[in-house]
Amino acid sequence: IEVWPSVPVVTAEDAAATAQELGFPVVLKATSPELRHATGHYWIRTDLHTPEAVSAAYEELTGVLRPLDADGVAVQRMAPAGVVVEITSAEDPLFGPVVGFGVAGVPSDLLGDRTHRFPPLTDTDVADMVSGIRAAPLLAGYRGTTSVDQVALHDLLARVSVLADDLPEMQALRLNPVVSHGGGIVVLGASATVARYTGRTDAGKRALTR
């Protein structure tokens, strides 16, 4: 699972140089955990194509963030337009790993529009997870928009399932934001919690049988 680099910067000159190394266009965004998934766009500057634009955006963004005591800023390549989704896994003490999927933002956080499955997952399980959310039409060209690459999306979800099943030490994993678009999928953020493995009570029950 490839995660696009997000490089912290501390000056406008540093931001411009980092953007040139990563390749244009880029985005500048706040690194504070409280802001990264906040609604609105005051914490991010997008579609920056030149070093001068990056420098100006850095000064503007840090000016907005400084009163909030959240002046950490990072540079990242700008992903193609698409549907932002979230993929998670969590190690349950009784059931073992639980993998979750949903469209990021309001559908998942406010409406609870998510699907969950217990690995190991078949390709049918993965497809059912994606199509089972109420926001699934957004992934299939809702109102004339471009359909996302379902093969790439299913592949990523399957990879998370295998990772969660094989590594019980990974207590929690969150891939967000993940941009699913017509030409593939881009993982822009990831966080994980690792802890000592204490055993799974249902290891035998979860094994697939023919």
Side-chain angles (χ1 to χ4, degrees):
I1 299 174
E2 178 184 2
V3 181
W4 279 19
S6 180
V7 184
V9 292
V10 293
T11 66
E13 294 76 14
D14 187 18
T18 300
Q20 288 184 298
E21 293 176 3
L22 293 176
F24 293 101
V26 300
V27 300
L28 291 183
K29 56 185 180 180
T31 57
S32 169
E34 290 75 20
L35 296 179
R36 278 187 307 208
H37 304 291
T39 57
H41 299 282
Y42 67 91
W43 57 273
I44 190 170
R45 298 294 181 271
T46 64
D47 206 23
L48 305 173
H49 288 262
T50 66
E52 294 76 18
V54 173
S55 296
Y58 178 89
E59 296 293 355
E60 180 188 3
L61 183 58
T62 53
V64 171
L65 297 177
R66 196 170 294 115
L68 304 176
D69 293 325
D71 54 355
V73 174
V75 181
Q76 191 172 46
R77 284 174 55 206
M78 184 170 174
V83 181
V84 181
V85 301
E86 179 179 72
I87 298 175
T88 61
S89 75
E91 185 75 13
D92 184 272
L94 177 61
F95 297 106
V98 182
V99 175
F101 172 79
V103 172
V106 172
S108 292
D109 299 338
L110 184 61
L111 303 179
D113 185 18
R114 290 176 162 275
T115 51
H116 297 88
R117 295 290 189 279
F118 303 115
L121 302 182
T122 66
D123 54 352
T124 301
D125 294 327
V126 170
D128 287 345
M129 286 189 70
V130 173
S131 63
I133 59 174
R134 294 190 295 276
L138 295 175
L139 304 169
Y142 181 69
R143 291 189 175 180
T145 59
T146 302
S147 300
V148 307
D149 186 340
Q150 295 278 347
V151 173
L153 179 57
H154 291 189
D155 177 72
L156 178 60
L157 189 53
R159 288 175 183 271
V160 171
S161 167
V162 173
L163 184 64
D165 201 25
D166 287 352
L167 296 178
E169 297 86 357
M170 187 179 70
Q171 293 292 299
L173 175 69
R174 185 187 191 195
L175 303 183
N176 186 2
V178 177
V179 179
S180 185
H181 57 94
I185 199 160
V186 178
V187 182
L188 297 178
S191 61
T193 301
V194 179
R196 185 182 299 277
Y197 175 51
T198 57
R200 290 171 172 170
T201 59
D202 71 334
K205 296 179 182 178
R206 292 188 308 104
L208 289 176
T209 58
R210 293 183 180 275

